[in-house]
Amino acid sequence: MTTQATDEILIRNNYDQAHLVGILQQLQVEFNYLPEEALQLVAKRLDIPFSRVYAVATFYKTFSLTPRGRHQIQVCTGTACHVRGAPLLLRQLERDLDIQTGGTTPDLEFSLDSVRCLGCCSLAPVVRIDWDTFGKLTQRQASRLLKKYKKKGKE
Amino acid sequence: MKCTSVEDLERIRNAGNQSISPDRIKISVGTATCGLATGAGQVYDAIVREVGKRGLDYIIARTGCLGFCQKEPLVEIYQPGLPRVIYQSVNTKMVPELVAAVTSGTISNEWALCLRSLDGEARPQRNGVPLIEDVPFFSKQVKVVMRNCGLIDPDNIAEYIARGGYFALQQVLSGMSPDEVIETVTKSGLRGRGGAGFPTGTKWGFARCAPGYEKFVICNADEGDPGAYMDRSILEGDPHAVLEGMIIGAYAIGACKGYIYIRDEYPLAVERFSKAVSAAREHGLLGRSIMGSDFNFDVYISKGAGAFVCGEETSLIASIEGRSGEPRQRPPFPAQSGLWNKPTNINNVETWASVSAIIRRGADWYSGIGTDTSKGTKVFSIVGQVKNTGLVEVPMGLTLREMVFDIGGGVFEERKFKAVQTGGPSGGCIPEYLLDLPVDYEKLTEAGAIMGSGGMIVMDDRTCMVDVARYFLDFLSEESCGKCVACREGIERLLQILENICAGKGREGDIELLGELAQGVKDFSLCALGGTAPNPVLTTLRYFREEYEAHIKHKKCPAKVCTALIEYSIDKEKCNGCGACLKLCPTGAIHGEIKQLHEIDVSKCIKCGVCLETCKFDAVLVS
């Protein structure tokens, strides 16, 4: 499975070394993390040292070497969000999910990350869940929002 | 259809004009990311449903962001022969009434923000609704880069052409030599809008003169500065303006290929720019023999993967080449040896978006705007603790006071102004007594800050300046690529000292140590990330030293932010025992019977602030 999907992505990118970042981005979307098997294969097929693939995979924030949750929660901690209470919001979500920032819930439903600026500074503080952005949140509203997603997951 | 002449463009212009100002009613919804975050998508759907239900023959369109993000979702209604009405804070419940008002030819006064008319359109007053130029948020603005944002459908190339788009390219290809283009840009005084403010024309000249057959242009859309989002808004609202600038730049430099490096966090910008590239190719404005000339050029999109340092040009190049985004020593500068070691010219989104207007309207027109050293307009994001948040494009040289108080409407909830932070993590915090500083590159640098990409974060008395310095260093220590010692270790040490100060463990001599260390990081870092990293510390030390002293000597946080130095309690006079805080306290630290005075058990309290946020009677005290 992993091999086939990885090969397909490599073919789409013409086995071009210059597309390494793009290839890893597509793998991250495909598997929701970067499996070691896939990274080894990328190194082999592109004929580059595994260390270079690993270096890129650990340099950029988008990539994760461990499985991520089905829902990605990103709490914006840009400056405007920071001065408008993002740190408190982040801690509230950590408590609600019982995980630390950067972590994933054991049932693989949610991952929680802090991200520096989603570019919606006028609506600070901002949280993005998957592709939806929510602005001007209080701690209570963030908790309620999370409950909605939890409920959706059970349905 | 391929465009090869002015006549072809004129034909598309007519179609675009029809689309911008049609012969029937048109309802446009601002659907940039900030609009969507406040429900513009649902509002759009509701309008489609309502119009469908009533069987009306209206056009419903999507536009980018008008800039007044505070009032999103914004909806503009156009009726032939009447000025356009812009409605603010529209939600789905308002839609039926709004559509009914349009049908009956009236205006819902309480929801209307303002009226506006394009050149040649009717300008009558209606129902006492102010004109856009009379609304304080807009009155001082001069829109050059954002001229089309919030007006045109970014996915419709004809609307861009109707606003004069690609005529500059046509003008360049049909009668200007590359040197003339560079001369025009140089004479206009345009300087890089990404941060450092290097003269754009000079930079183009370097790349043009560099020996080499293959050359590249790059658009830096890795807008990493927290608090700045104009590049996202331009890409989402008017992607063709950026593209046209790149094509003109490529012609001037002699480049055959271009890349745009867009942040991964901006999916909508990637989508809209991709569509713009496809449309331009279909129209023969990109690709081989552009507009029938012998000039070939194409643009490719490279998506960032989340690394602040990639905003630095040599890191960005490394990232496009498929490597870790680590900077390298300059010289050689990218103009000599950039992407794949070929001459490369990098400009940011706002710079590229300024180019076509300069070509069309002339260098003298552009250099007539702004100050002696900083020409033209600049887009700023006014955000933080300010009443009117959003993106504003103003002539260089406006004072900070005008920005924060006239345009921004002053501090949120009538609190006391403390500082305005400019330039992101490389910038600094400017205090109240410098509010009359005119904003240009030199003046901000003199004050210890920088122009940066134009983020302006307003801070009030609830913002702790030591915490702000700690915040930026925390950001930078995470984002430092680790290549050079001064940045990797120096920022880490600065951060440790600041964390100690915020935790009440500051020691005598810390302030001096911070100053000394900061200077070291500044002097010995490899790239601009480290070289400017100490700015937030140095400016807060310069202007807000007393806050540092309060933390260190008196173990107090005057703004009541640093959790180790504050304590929550309940005001005996104000608490009526409603129980709201008690129910929500995550650690069960609040005790008390209903309708009786509540109390906080300090040993259990984690200072999360939920009680403070919940209490409707201002009975939670922080000391």
Side-chain angles (χ1 to χ4, degrees):
Chain A
M1 253 289 275
T2 315
T3 314
Q4 199 194 338
T6 309
D7 267 327
E8 276 169 21
I9 288 171
L10 284 165
I11 292 167
R12 274 211 299 274
N13 287 280
N14 294 328
Y15 296 97
D16 190 344
Q17 292 182 11
H19 291 179
L20 183 56
V21 176
I23 290 169
L24 298 190
Q25 279 169 335
Q26 289 158 37
L27 287 171
Q28 174 79 37
V29 172
E30 177 74 28
F31 302 113
N32 219 1
Y33 79 113
L34 298 177
E36 190 185 332
E37 208 185 326
L39 294 182
Q40 294 277 11
L41 195 69
V42 169
K44 199 171 134 194
R45 297 272 202 264
L46 296 185
D47 196 23
I48 49 176
F50 181 65
S51 59
R52 195 181 136 196
V53 179
Y54 184 79
V56 171
T58 49
F59 184 85
Y60 296 99
K61 272 194 167 168
T62 312
F63 305 132
S64 169
L65 299 181
T66 51
R68 305 294 284 152
R70 194 160 67 94
H71 296 298
Q72 315 266 345
I73 305 178
Q74 297 179 313
V75 179
C76 181
T77 49
T79 322
C81 290
H82 180 81
V83 303
R84 280 198 156 181
L88 299 176
L89 214 58
L90 190 61
R91 267 179 260 150
Q92 170 77 21
L93 290 171
E94 282 182 343
R95 284 196 300 274
D96 286 346
L97 292 164
D98 199 18
I99 51 172
Q100 294 288 307
T101 301
T104 302
T105 53
D107 60 2
L108 294 183
E109 276 294 301
F110 295 98
S111 289
L112 178 67
D113 288 297
S114 70
V115 43
R116 305 293 186 165
C117 207
L118 292 168
C120 293
C121 314
S122 54
L123 309 171
V126 173
V127 172
R128 183 180 284 172
I129 304 185
D130 303 329
W131 296 112
D132 293 320
T133 313
F134 305 91
K136 296 183 186 168
L137 289 177
T138 64
Q139 294 191 55
R140 276 183 81 185
Q141 286 166 336
S143 284
R144 272 194 224 133
L145 193 62
L146 185 61
K147 274 187 196 143
K148 263 193 214 163
Y149 276 83
K150 282 185 177 167
K151 219 170 131 190
K152 248 200 256 172
K154 282 181 190 145
E155 276 164 8
Chain B
M1 190 191 102
K2 300 272 181 200
C3 291
T4 53
S5 62
V6 176
E7 291 72 33
D8 291 341
L9 280 179
E10 288 291 354
R11 259 195 298 279
I12 302 174
R13 185 207 282 257
N14 288 338
N17 273 330
Q18 274 298 311
S19 172
I20 294 174
S21 316
D23 53 5
R24 53 207 156 109
I25 291 172
K26 174 177 159 183
I27 306 178
S28 314
V29 185
T31 52
T33 302
C34 41
L36 291 171
T38 48
Q42 288 92 317
V43 168
Y44 179 87
D45 293 342
I47 294 173
V48 171
R49 270 198 310 274
E50 186 66 26
V51 167
K53 206 168 78 187
R54 290 165 177 260
L56 299 165
D57 185 25
Y58 294 174
I59 297 168
I60 302 154
R62 295 171 195 267
T63 60
C65 174
L66 196 61
F68 206 169
C69 310
Q70 174 85 26
K71 306 288 185 191
E72 295 270 15
L74 293 170
V75 172
E76 182 179 274
I77 292 172
Y78 167 78
Q79 277 177 280
L82 289 172
R84 296 155 187 266
V85 188
I86 299 171
Y87 287 99
Q88 56 185 330
S89 312
V90 178
N91 59 43
T92 48
K93 283 182 198 148
M94 291 155 64
V95 167
E97 202 177 314
L98 212 60
V99 174
V102 180
T103 314
S104 63
T106 56
I107 294 180
S108 300
N109 255 22
E110 49 180 329
W111 300 334
L113 172 68
C114 59
L115 302 176
R116 73 160 160 179
S117 309
L118 304 181
D119 290 340
E121 284 182 358
R123 292 186 170 271
Q125 275 283 358
R126 292 185 69 185
N127 286 26
V129 179
L131 297 171
I132 193 162
E133 51 267 32
D134 296 330
V135 175
F137 183 81
F138 293 107
S139 59
K140 292 195 169 162
Q141 294 200 46
V142 176
K143 301 228 179 194
V144 176
V145 170
M146 295 192 57
R147 62 194 179 275
N148 296 327
C149 290
L151 174 70
I152 64 166
D153 173 357
D155 292 338
N156 187 345
I157 192 171
E159 291 193 9
Y160 176 69
I161 292 173
R163 298 278 295 160
Y166 290 113
F167 280 89
L169 176 65
Q170 195 277 332
Q171 190 183 328
V172 164
L173 292 179
S174 65
M176 284 175 88
S177 71
D179 289 325
E180 281 169 348
V181 175
I182 292 177
E183 200 192 311
T184 306
V185 175
T186 308
K187 255 179 70 189
S188 76
L190 175 65
R191 294 170 66 175
R193 297 294 190 240
F198 194 81
T200 305
T202 313
K203 201 173 185 178
W204 287 17
F206 290 152
R208 170 148 186 86
C209 295
Y213 176 68
E214 201 178 13
K215 294 178 187 180
F216 299 105
V217 294
I218 296 178
C219 174
N220 182 350
D222 191 51
E223 186 176 46
D225 279 3
Y229 61 102
M230 54 289 294
D231 293 353
R232 170 184 71 66
S233 193
I234 295 167
L235 286 170
E236 288 177 358
D238 196 14
H240 284 286
V242 182
L243 190 56
E244 189 183 1
M246 286 179 77
I247 305 170
I248 294 171
Y251 171 78
I253 290 155
C256 55
K257 243 186 192 181
Y259 286 86
I260 179 165
Y261 186 86
I262 310 188
R263 287 181 84 199
D264 192 37
E265 288 87 345
Y266 290 175
L268 189 62
V270 173
E271 188 191 318
R272 295 208 170 140
F273 194 81
S274 308
K275 283 186 184 162
V277 168
S278 306
R281 280 187 195 141
E282 279 165 26
H283 285 77
L285 300 164
L286 199 61
R288 296 195 65 79
S289 309
I290 292 176
M291 297 197 84
S293 71
D294 55 2
F295 171 54
N296 307 321
F297 173 70
D298 215 337
V299 170
Y300 302 90
I301 296 172
S302 187
K303 256 170 57 178
F308 175 72
V309 72
C310 286
E312 197 280 337
E313 55 185 15
T314 59
S315 309
L316 186 147
I317 288 171
S319 189
I320 295 181
E321 290 174 352
R323 295 183 283 121
S324 302
E326 286 179 4
R328 63 158 175 79
Q329 188 71 261
R330 293 180 306 179
F333 287 91
Q336 273 81 44
S337 174
L339 191 62
W340 321 117
N341 300 322
K342 302 278 169 31
T344 304
N345 179 75
I346 306 185
N347 285 122
N348 96 323
V349 172
E350 202 184 327
T351 318
W352 286 123
S354 308
V355 171
S356 62
I358 292 172
I359 299 289
R360 239 184 34 251
R361 303 182 69 171
D364 293 341
W365 161 77
Y366 194 79
S367 62
I369 310 171
T371 66
D372 284 349
T373 56
S374 307
K375 301 295 184 192
T377 59
K378 171 86 192 84
V379 186
F380 293 94
S381 58
I382 299 186
V383 294
Q385 306 289 22
V386 64
K387 277 184 201 157
N388 300 331
T389 57
L391 289 178
V392 299
E393 183 172 1
V394 292
M396 293 274 195
L398 233 62
T399 65
L400 285 167
R401 191 183 300 282
E402 285 173 291
M403 304 269 238
V404 175
F405 288 90
D406 297 348
I407 298 175
V411 182
F412 190 56
E413 291 175 350
E414 309 299 336
R415 306 287 298 213
K416 191 171 165 14
F417 174 90
K418 187 187 267 183
V420 55
Q421 205 277 345
T422 69
S426 313
C429 298
I430 299 169
E432 192 176 7
Y433 77 86
L434 288 177
L435 270 179
D436 291 313
L437 198 75
V439 178
D440 72 8
Y441 290 100
E442 279 67 30
K443 291 286 185 321
L444 284 177
T445 308
E446 274 168 35
I450 62 164
M451 174 84 75
S453 45
M456 287 208 167
I457 297 100
V458 176
M459 298 169 175
D460 65 12
D461 56 351
R462 286 168 297 182
T463 311
C464 168
M465 301 316 283
V466 185
D467 177 67
V468 166
R470 184 203 58 76
Y471 161 82
F472 280 117
L473 286 179
D474 181 46
F475 174 92
L476 290 162
S477 76
E478 247 177 64
E479 297 293 347
S480 169
C481 75
K483 188 171 178 176
C484 72
V485 180
C487 173
R488 184 183 67 228
E489 301 299 330
I491 292 178
E492 194 62 38
R493 280 296 297 141
L494 284 169
L495 175 63
Q496 277 171 3
I497 298 168
L498 285 165
E499 277 177 344
N500 281 338
I501 297 175
C502 290
K505 295 177 198 156
R507 289 178 305 194
E508 284 283 330
D510 273 355
I511 293 181
E512 292 70 22
L513 187 59
L514 278 174
E516 198 183 323
L517 206 58
Q519 200 55 47
V521 174
K522 224 178 159 117
D523 291 346
F524 299 111
S525 289
L526 176 64
C527 80
L529 188 146
T532 54
N535 284 355
V537 182
L538 292 172
T539 50
T540 48
L541 274 175
R542 181 163 150 194
Y543 300 121
F544 302 95
R545 197 184 175 98
E546 69 287 355
E547 283 199 37
Y548 281 85
E549 283 166 354
H551 281 73
I552 295 170
K553 288 186 188 147
H554 311 294
K555 310 293 174 206
K556 281 205 165 71
C557 175
K560 299 171 186 170
V561 171
C562 299
T563 45
L565 304 177
I566 55 170
E567 214 164 74
Y568 281 79
S569 61
I570 287 174
D571 188 332
K572 288 178 184 150
E573 306 284 309
K574 287 183 180 164
C575 176
N576 65 1
C578 73
C581 59
L582 187 146
K583 257 187 268 167
L584 290 169
C585 177
T587 56
I590 303 179
H591 303 285
E593 297 297 322
I594 289 293
K595 297 202 176 161
Q596 302 284 318
L597 176 68
H598 289 6
E599 269 182 1
I600 297 180
D601 179 350
V602 181
S603 65
K604 281 189 188 168
C605 175
I606 55 166
K607 300 164 189 172
C608 67
V610 170
C611 50
L612 184 70
E613 179 190 294
T614 316
C615 184
K616 287 183 186 143
F617 309 97
D618 294 330
V620 178
L621 302 173
V622 187
S623 56

